[in-house]
Every structure is written in C-alpha cells, then in structure tokens.
Amino acid sequence: MMKVQRKSSLSARARHSAAAVCALALLGSANIARASDPLPSDPELEAVTLSAPKPSWVFVERGFVVPGNAIYDTDTGKMLGMVEASTLSDLSIDPAGKAYYVSESIWTKGWRGTRQDMITVYDSATLKLKNEIAIPGRILIGGRKFNFVLADEGKTAYVYNLDPASSVNVVDLVKGKFVKKIELAGCASLMPVTGVGFSALCSDGSLATVKVAAAKPEITRSAPFFSATNDPIFDNFGYDGAKQQAVFLTYTGQVFTAKLGATPTISEPFSIQAAAGVSPADTKPLDVHWYPGARQGLAYHLGTGHAYVLMHTGEYWTHKEPGTEIWDLDVAAKKVVRRIPLEHPASAIAITQEANPKLVLSTERGEDGPSALLILDAKTGEQKFMLENSGGGVMRTLEP
C-alpha cells in the first residue's frame, strides 16, 4: 500500500462517497458529464514515496481487529504509512532499508479453506508488494519480537514454527526461497548468531545454539540457568546484534546477560529491585513487591546499554499487568538510575536507537479515554507527543 498524506480530517472513503452522490445528482442537470469522462484528481490526496527507514521511526502493530504495522515518526508525531499484514503476523526490517518482510498465514476462505504460510516482501519506498516466499508453516501467535528474525545482514530469515513440534524455517531472502526446516524441540525466541546461525531459549532453562550451515544442523545447549516453570524469562527481551549480546528478564525481576556465539556465556543474575534499592521480589503467594510486567515490558538502548522496564506493584504471576513506572536500568552497573512514574499504565514500551532516544509507550487509559501512543524524551521523561488510537500491539524500532 502506498503511503498517503492527508491534508484534511475527512477520510478518503467519505470524500469518494460524497463525490459519488454529487455525480448522481448531476445526472439530472442540463450540463451532464459523459460517462466516459474520468473523475478529476482529488487535490486533498497526494501519493508519495518514503525514504529508507530512519532511527526515529517506530513500527506499531495495529492489533487483532485492524491488522497491519503503522509507521510513525517520533520526531514529528506523524503517521507515515502502513505495512500490510494479516492477523497474527510478524514484521522484520531489511537492514539495507530496501524492504519490509512480513511472516504471515492466510486462508483462501477467511479463517478456513487452504492455509498458506509465507514471507511477504514489501518495497520500503512505496509499501507495494514485491514478492511472496512460500514456507511450510509458522506459529500462529502475536505480540512476540523474536519469532521471525533476519540474519547475515538481511540475507537469511529464521521463522519459528510449531506443526506440531517446535522447529525453525530457514529462508534465503536473496534467492527468495525456503531452504530447510530445523527441528528444535522445546525451544523458541530466536536470536541470530553471526557466523553460526541462531540461539533460542528452551523450556529446560537452557540456551540452545544451532549451527545452520552443515548438512545436518548441529545443536548444542548450555547448562540450565533459569526455571521456565518457577520463574520464566519474558520473551520480549533485549538483543544487540552488533555486539552479540542479550539481556533477559524473569517474571520476578532477575536480570541475566548472555554473550552469544558458538559457545555462549551467561552471567550470574541480579535483582532489578535490589538495583533500585528495594526488596527483591519472590514467588510466594500474597507477597506484594515491585514486579516487571506488560505484553512488551522491556526496551533496550544499544548505544548506552540501558534497559527501560515497565514495573508495577502486585503479587507473583501478575506479569501481564501494565506498568505504572519505567525503571531505567544501567545493565553493566547493575543499578536503576531513574524511576519515571506514569500517569496512565503502559502495556508496551520501545525505544528509538538514536543518540538522543525517545521512549514509545502504548498506554491504557480505560474509562478516561482510548489507548494511545505516548512519545517521551528518554533522557528527561518529557512528553513529546500523544497519538490517539495508534495501535496497541508489539512495537519495533530500527536497530543497527
């Protein structure tokens, strides 16, 4: 879909409907227009092309009812366009800035009929369809950043699959074709590993590393370092592709860092609550503490190594509760350097990867009004924009 700039609040559909009514009225007039005459161009609509994606842009899933990924510029607060997508799809951004990739599933008869799984390729300038790459399956779930990831400078895609066992589809984006499926029992949440393949978190508490190039992929696992049953890791974590590092956060607020590679190394954990000078959380019933939560509760700024975490007070297993504060965590120093209270709870957080970054929040305002995107200066906490009805799904920003 080509980006459209609107110069008035009247919708395109309303304008065209009004034009049709006027045309019917004119049929009875003496100066009737010929049916073959083309409609005049609409001066209030202007089709333009987009630049390559910028660090100030944020890509927001519109949600289950209105699928697609809206593009907003956090410098101006303006919507720039929409990347088409089906329900429960995943978006990835070409590092070269030439395309947007959507991992999605469709059916020939809506939610029934013949199922088709694919990676759909859109031109980043016009948002028009470029290609469709058929794949043998993918998991149908939304709100996860690491089910569909790009590697090898955007030449390879990894798509998480579940039909019925856990597996990963490897796709050559240069040739536009599916390469192979790798069985990966009990693991998900994919992280590209340069020169190796990818890593994934596993249900036994380990980190799996998959060497993809061999005819038979080689899979190794670390020793278990977390409990997927007692204190799971949030699947929207921090990942730095350039430094090959990941920052994991558990439901109780334990922070792990991992250096990825053929043989990854994983740090000893520390408590984000202790880093803020408050009592660490636990898993005991009825104990009230500060806990991390929300659908997308952690945003990681690669340049500074700071993690911005949505926190709330409650009991254990309230990990879906929206955040009432943002905790700015210096990961290397193991210290929360700032706490930002929120007027309205937030269900998702993202950060632009700029020298002067902006935080983007999906807020939930309940009876006070509809949900909105809130754009803040990450250094000062100052509000820059509030964008009404802007979508509440997972958010992505351009990462180096």
Side-chain angles (χ1 to χ4, degrees), residues 1 9 14 32 48 73-74 97 137-138 146 163 169 172 177 180 183 186 248 287 330 347 349 370:
M1 181 183 73
S9 60
I32 186 169
V48 299
D73 189 343
T74 62
R138 56 177 292 274
F146 297 100
D163 64 347
N169 294 323
D172 186 327
K177 68 176 186 178
K180 57 186 172 183
E183 297 290 338
F248 304 124
D287 277 8
D330 185 329
S347 59
I349 186 171

Side-chain angles (χ1 to χ4, degrees), residues 29 80 104 129 140 159 249 268 272 292 304 379 381 385 398:
S29 69
L80 303 177
E104 59 184 344
L129 176 68
L140 290 173
V159 186
L249 181 66
E268 291 295 320
I272 189 173
T304 61
K379 292 184 177 180
F385 302 101
L398 184 65

Side-chain angles (χ1 to χ4, degrees), residues 234 291-297 309-312 318-323:
F234 286 97
Y291 285 91
R295 294 195 306 269
Q296 182 180 355
V309 182
L310 292 176
M311 303 289 294
H312 69 279
T318 56
H319 54 279
K320 292 185 179 181
E321 288 294 313

Side-chain angles (χ1 to χ4, degrees), residues 98-344:
K98 296 181 179 180
Y100 298 118
Y101 299 98
V102 178
S103 170
E104 59 184 344
S105 302
I106 61 174
W107 286 259
T108 55
K109 297 180 179 180
W111 283 103
R112 59 189 178 88
T114 303
R115 174 171 165 171
Q116 302 170 75
D117 299 280
M118 67 192 74
I119 294 176
T120 308
V121 188
Y122 291 98
D123 183 271
S124 63
T126 64
L127 303 185
K128 289 183 176 180
L129 176 68
K130 291 179 63 176
N131 192 19
E132 293 176 345
I133 306 170
I135 56 178
R138 56 177 292 274
I139 190 171
L140 290 173
I141 189 169
R144 274 48 173 199
K145 290 180 63 178
F146 297 100
N147 285 337
F148 173 45
V149 297
L150 305 187
D152 305 326
E153 298 179 338
K155 297 175 183 177
T156 304
Y158 300 120
V159 186
Y160 181 61
N161 190 20
L162 191 68
D163 64 347
S166 178
S167 62
V168 177
N169 294 323
V170 182
V171 179
D172 186 327
L173 295 177
V174 176
K175 295 181 179 179
K177 68 176 186 178
F178 167 77
V179 177
K180 57 186 172 183
K181 181 169 73 171
I182 300 174
E183 297 290 338
L184 190 61
C187 304
S189 297
L190 312 177
M191 295 156 277
V193 180
T194 303
V196 176
F198 62 91
S199 286
L201 291 169
C202 303
S203 58
D204 64 355
S206 68
L207 181 70
T209 300
V210 182
K211 295 182 180 179
V212 173
K216 183 178 181 180
E218 180 183 343
I219 302 173
T220 58
R221 298 197 186 203
S222 72
F225 65 96
F226 72 99
S227 172
T229 54
N230 295 328
D231 193 12
I233 282 176
F234 286 97
D235 50 15
N236 286 322
F237 44 80
Y239 168 76
D240 186 335
K243 295 179 181 178
Q244 293 287 274
Q245 295 177 348
V247 179
F248 304 124
L249 181 66
T250 73
Y251 285 13
T252 63
Q254 293 293 306
V255 180
F256 294 89
T257 59
K259 179 66 175 177
L260 304 177
T263 305
T265 57
I266 302 164
S267 72
E268 291 295 320
F270 66 91
S271 163
I272 189 173
Q273 295 90 345
V278 300
S279 62
D282 55 41
T283 62
K284 297 177 182 178
L286 304 181
D287 277 8
V288 176
H289 297 277
W290 280 99
Y291 285 91
R295 294 195 306 269
Q296 182 180 355
L298 184 150
Y300 185 56
H301 189 252
L302 310 184
T304 61
H306 282 221
Y308 296 81
V309 182
L310 292 176
M311 303 289 294
H312 69 279
T313 55
E315 301 174 47
Y316 180 61
W317 214 249
T318 56
H319 54 279
K320 292 185 179 181
E321 288 294 313
T324 57
E325 287 189 5
I326 303 170
W327 288 14
D328 178 356
L329 172 66
D330 185 329
V331 177
K334 301 180 181 180
K335 183 177 181 181
V336 171
V337 297
R338 186 176 43 153
R339 294 169 58 174
I340 304 173
L342 298 175
E343 182 178 356
H344 301 287

Side-chain angles (χ1 to χ4, degrees), residues 44 86 188 361 376 382:
E44 295 188 354
S86 63
L361 302 171
L376 309 177
E382 175 190 0

